[in-house]
Amino acid sequence: MHLRPVSLPFNHALMSKSLKRVRAALEASGIDTEIRETQLARTAADAAAALDCDIDQIAKSIIFRGETSGHAILFLTAGGNTVDIDKAAALAGEALGKADAALVRTQTGFAIGGVSPIGHLSPIRAFFDRRLAEFDLIWAAAGTPHHVFRATPHEMREISAAQTADFTA
């Protein structure tokens, strides 16, 4: 039997610290949106199925480690796209390596699989995939692997302080 991922009502009483930071960042930005709890949303395909949207409407938060700076660098990409490491490194101005779980947690405050484009513990350099701008609404992780929020591409780019760029394969 195949279970279809579904979107669930949001339970405010069970909010994690990460989820609370995202909610506070959304409120501070003035964006009127909702946070949804989803089942089976660890991948962009699962999230798209749960939200009944195009896979490219899912804004994946891909984190790399700057090899020179040691800092986390965020690439917000459409769910069906992959980051081209050479293009990404050229944008970052340094070689990029894999960001391990400790670096991601320390610099963003999120666990891998639930990294939000907003609400980070420390400011982060961010780049925004042009493909995301082709939609009226896009969805991103809200601090956990099972929570998402929606925004317009313009809102997402603004609140994440991301620079629009070409970095996908």
Side-chain angles (χ1 to χ4, degrees):
M1 176 168 82
H2 179 70
L3 297 177
R4 178 165 161 52
V6 296
S7 179
L8 303 172
F10 182 67
N11 186 341
H12 296 280
L14 300 176
M15 269 199 282
S16 70
K17 290 179 193 174
S18 297
L19 188 57
K20 286 177 183 175
R21 275 200 327 276
V22 172
R23 185 173 183 81
L26 286 167
E27 288 172 356
S29 73
I31 293 176
D32 183 24
T33 190
E34 67 178 304
I35 294 175
R36 286 193 191 170
E37 184 174 354
T38 61
Q39 292 179 346
L40 305 173
R42 288 191 176 273
T43 68
D46 287 342
L51 297 164
D52 195 26
C53 68
D54 188 287
I55 191 169
D56 283 346
Q57 285 180 270
I58 305 300
K60 298 186 299 190
S61 293
I62 308 297
I63 303 281
F64 288 99
R65 178 180 41 82
E67 293 290 342
T68 304
S69 68
H71 293 132
I73 302 170
L74 170 65
F75 292 85
L76 282 173
T77 186
N81 283 350
T82 57
V83 175
D84 179 305
I85 192 74
D86 293 328
K87 289 179 182 179
L91 284 169
E94 63 183 307
L96 299 175
K98 181 179 179 182
D100 64 22
L103 175 85
V104 173
R105 173 74 76 178
T106 300
Q107 292 192 20
T108 70
F110 301 115
I112 292 174
V115 176
S116 179
I118 62 170
H120 300 139
L121 293 178
S122 305
I124 190 168
R125 289 178 53 209
F127 297 93
F128 189 85
D129 183 352
R130 294 179 194 282
R131 173 75 173 121
L132 292 167
E134 296 175 18
F135 299 96
D136 292 333
L137 290 172
I138 55 178
W139 295 86
T144 81
H146 298 287
H147 291 89
V148 294
F149 71 93
R150 71 172 183 235
T152 68
H154 175 76
E155 289 169 335
M156 189 78 70
R157 191 174 53 249
E158 291 294 314
I159 62 175
S160 64
Q163 172 187 339
T164 301
D166 177 21
F167 56 82
T168 60

